[in-house]
């Protein structure tokens, strides 16, 4: 029986500490700029476009024409606007979830898993009690993005019948796990789009002192582990 292959974060050979520190600072700054842009775009989508669509929907729902045909067309138009409003809300939420700052990491990840798994029409087992404890904002955002990227990859590539998102604490470390029973992949093949996403997750975890591990094999599903140290 084929076993899952482990892929772990590794240090690039020959890279001195100064170069690594400079690379980490640059990467962290690029991520911060990206998150600032996500936040701005999310607010614009939600506050401006979302509110305008809501107003149009209210107007359409309140209009009644003189004929059944026109009433039906107005009803269809109102339904389309409602659907567009939902998509704008989902897009804004995925760019930068308001709940991450307001309600915390656990609620945000639970909502994310529920939403994405509902889109895939597959069940999702969630056990995220460990995420209820306070975390540094950068750590919380990194873990959220790990789950977001992992579930997005699952939706694009895995075609599973079940997904699980869990978090546990032991030895003063937090482990976040995203696992599916889908296609899996050969960890030894040349990098593709999925591997670029994995590389981004590994890089972001390294910036907060975390470790990234992937366990996978073709036809055996995939498990992604994000381990981060907790303050003593």
């Amino acid at each position: 029986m084929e076993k899952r292959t482990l892929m772990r974060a590794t240090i690039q050979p020959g890279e001195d500490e100064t170069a690594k520190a400079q690379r980490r600072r640059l990467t962290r700054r690029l991520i911060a700029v990206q998150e600032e842009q996500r936040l701005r775009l999310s607010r614009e989508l939600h506050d401006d476009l979302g509110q305008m669509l809501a107003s149009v929907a209210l107007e359409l729902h309140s209009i009644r024409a003189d004929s059944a045909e026109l009433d039906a067309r107005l009803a269809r138009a109102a339904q389309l606007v409602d659907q567009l409003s939902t998509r704008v809300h989902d897009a804004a939420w995925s760019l930068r979830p308001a709940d991450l700052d307001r309600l915390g990491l656990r609620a945000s990840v639970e909502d994310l898993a529920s939403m994405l798994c509902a889109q895939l029409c597959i069940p999702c087992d969630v056990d995220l009690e460990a995420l209820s404890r306070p975390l540094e904002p950068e750590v919380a955002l990194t873990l959220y993005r790990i789950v977001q990227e992992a579930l997005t990859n699952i939706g694009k590539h895995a075609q599973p019948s079940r997904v699980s998102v869990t978090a546990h604490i032991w030895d003063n470390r937090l482990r976040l796990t995203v696992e599916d029973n889908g296609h899996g992949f050969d960890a030894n093949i040349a990098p593709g789009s999925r591997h670029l996403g994995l590389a981004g997750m590994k890089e972001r975890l390294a910036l907060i002192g975390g470790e990234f591990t992937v366990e996978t094999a073709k036809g055996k599903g995939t498990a992604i582990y994000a381990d981060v140290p907790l303050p003593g």
Side-chain angles (χ1 to χ4, degrees), residues 96 100-101 105 134-144 204 208:
R96 174 73 182 203
L100 188 58
D101 298 319
L105 180 60
L135 296 170
E136 292 293 326
E138 187 177 15
V139 174
L141 181 57
T142 297
L143 292 177
Y144 178 86
R204 291 191 71 145
I208 59 172

Side-chain angles (χ1 to χ4, degrees), residues 106-178:
R106 179 183 179 181
S108 297
V109 173
E110 287 175 342
D111 288 348
L112 177 67
S114 176
M115 180 182 71
L116 293 182
C117 287
Q119 291 175 357
L120 297 173
C121 298
I122 56 175
C124 184
D125 300 322
V126 177
D127 179 7
L128 298 172
E129 175 65 30
L131 298 186
S132 298
R133 64 178 295 158
L135 296 170
E136 292 293 326
E138 187 177 15
V139 174
L141 181 57
T142 297
L143 292 177
Y144 178 86
R145 293 300 184 203
I146 295 293
V147 176
Q148 186 178 41
E149 181 69 26
L151 291 176
T152 300
N153 279 344
I154 288 171
K156 289 180 179 178
H157 306 290
Q159 296 185 354
S161 62
R162 183 170 293 277
V163 172
S164 69
V165 184
T166 60
H168 299 94
I169 295 174
W170 80 97
D171 291 338
N172 213 35
R173 293 180 68 83
L174 171 66
R175 164 165 283 191
L176 180 66
T177 304
V178 182

Side-chain angles (χ1 to χ4, degrees), residues 2-8 157-158 180 182-196 198 214-223:
E2 184 180 9
K3 295 182 178 180
R4 285 177 171 177
T5 301
L6 290 177
M7 302 170 60
R8 293 187 180 274
H157 306 290
D180 70 81
H183 292 326
F185 60 96
D186 185 351
N188 298 314
I189 63 174
S193 59
R194 181 197 297 247
H195 288 72
L196 293 176
L198 296 176
V214 179
E215 188 179 79
T216 187
K218 292 189 68 174
K220 302 297 181 182
T222 301

Side-chain angles (χ1 to χ4, degrees), residues 2 18 39 48 52 54 57 62 70 72 80 121 123-124 147 178 198 230:
E2 184 180 9
T18 301
L39 179 59
D48 297 334
M52 286 189 289
S62 66
L70 286 178
L80 288 173
C121 298
C124 184
V147 176
V178 182
L198 296 176
L230 296 173

